[in-house]
Amino acid sequence: MKKDLNIVWLKRDLRLQDHLPMQIAQKQEIPFIILYIYEPTLMEGPDVDIRHLRFIHHSIKEMNRYLENEGGSVHECYGEVEEVIDHIKEKHNISNIFSYEEHGTMRTWERDKRVKSYFMSNRITWKECSNPGVQRGIQDRDGWDRRWFKEMNKSIIDNQITNVGSIEISPKTSLPKEFKEALEEYPQGMQPAGTSYALSYLSSFMEERGKDFNKYISKPLHSRKSCSRLSPYLAWGNISSRQVYQKVRNHPNYQNHKRAFNSFLNRLKWRSHFIQKFEVECEYETRCINRGYESLQRSNSEIFLEKWKQGKTGFPLVDACMRCVKETGWINFRMRAMLVSFLCHHLDVDWRLGTYHLARQFLDYEPGIHYPQFQMQAGTTGTNTIRMYNPVKQSQDHDPEGIFIRNWIPEFSSIPSEFIHMPWEMSKMEQQLYGIALGKDYPHPIVDHQEAAALARDKIWGHRSDPVVKKESKRILKMHTRNKSM
Ligand SMILES: Cc1cc2nc3c(=O)[nH]c(=O)nc-3n(C[C@H](O)[C@H](O)[C@H](O)COP(=O)(O)OP(=O)(O)OC[C@H]3O[C@@H](n4cnc5c(N)ncnc54)[C@H](O)[C@@H]3O)c2cc1C
């Protein structure tokens, strides 16, 4: 006779504590297993990189180190959800599946709809819990702020996981050998995965690093230390927003550096705000938030796009950021904004051609933040001030000595700081003197940035008077803006 079994299905919630589906499963009489499924159709998506999958795998490995004391583990399977469940069903009678709602792309939404009907036809109950701070099915933001604070202040769920079970996974859905080997390698330059790292980054941020949060937030080099660097842990759910919120508010250092930590907490709230936008309209991945910008013509040079991706535009800070994010998976907010602004404004390339590239580079890729932010910086919302970042000024202001640039563009190691922001100003003789040949060792700038910015400004600001842009702006403000009095 088949035995009853419940399943906790993990997605972007790779932790054991403050985990509602796990708590619900623990309280049932039926034993449960914990499952993570590597789904081929999702992994083929344009936004997925092996770095994300490695982060997932190593987060699970860490969970397993804890779970093995309890005689259980997270089962990692490979296949479409229906295939994996079908194989488990051969030997078990699955009663319930518990998971969090996923605020993902159209691809995960379609998968959710597909598996929902599969679960129903197989008489499996699927209970999806809402993520604290994000609500499914709301039509406007009335009361949203109040509910966010309420959620953040609720008690942390303290899971004592004792009855997690273990089953034999069918070889048909276990991880293929090569895939497993690829997951094992973890890139040196990237933040290590797992809850214990999330907690230790949070502690060092509260104890030491965070006091300079506001001072260095825009600096490509210093922000690597003074920002929390919690983004990958939040994105993959090694830690919950609520755990972070409460740890910050209750830490003795909060009172000592209140301005810095309140700025940080604001950002934690922005996180939910952006994910909420995307939850309501996940089409933001593929179409302009403001439909009026669909008619804006771009030149979409493939050569420019490639040079941007490779970090070979001839603009040192732009190239250093792109090379840095490729190796480390992280750059700060302002540099992300500058990369997008440079692509869409100076190079006149449609945001859609660059957005997946950066999604794959960011270890903290979170669809709900990524696409709305990308479009804000590309100027296609119609409701935000259009910001155009001058790549030379950003460089002079935020990396005046060129330390960050030299880290990532070794070709510049012997160039004095006066030329680091505009190497094209070096004469042939100076190039010889400093051991670099522009056009050979490092590219000439691919555009005249001042001319390109002027053209972009005329184009994008001119388009704001388009009647569709105006109509859409009103719709967006109504749907996504918080009424602060509520
Ligand atoms: C084009 C573009 C794409 C982005 N894509 C992502 C992404 O895929 N994933 C991601 O987590 N962040 C993204 N961001 C937002 C931001 O750059 C990162 O959250 C931040 O740099 C992460 O570093 P941190 O954890 O040290 O942040 P901190 O400054 O310490 O902030 C703490 C947390 O607040 C949230 N947060 C911070 N800034 C923002 C913001 N501007 N909007 C929304 N939430 C914020 C993040 O969860 C972050 O981990 C993007 C920004 C831009 C301009």
Side-chain angles (χ1 to χ4, degrees), residues 213 227-231 264 267 330 364 366 370 373:
F213 184 74
C227 278
S228 72
R229 308 295 304 271
L230 286 171
S231 52
F264 166 81
R267 283 167 177 79
W330 192 89
D364 59 24
E366 170 72 65
H370 187 70
Q373 273 292 356

Side-chain angles (χ1 to χ4, degrees), residues 205 213 217 227-231 234 264 267-268 270-271 274 330-333 336-337 340 362 364-366 369-370 373-374 377:
F205 179 66
F213 184 74
I217 193 159
C227 278
S228 72
R229 308 295 304 271
L230 286 171
S231 52
L234 286 162
F264 166 81
R267 283 167 177 79
L268 195 66
W270 294 355
R271 170 187 161 74
F274 277 97
W330 192 89
I331 42 166
N332 62 336
F333 173 81
R336 295 183 197 211
V340 176
F362 293 154
D364 59 24
Y365 166 55
E366 170 72 65
I369 305 178
H370 187 70
Q373 273 292 356
F374 210 102
Q377 310 309 330

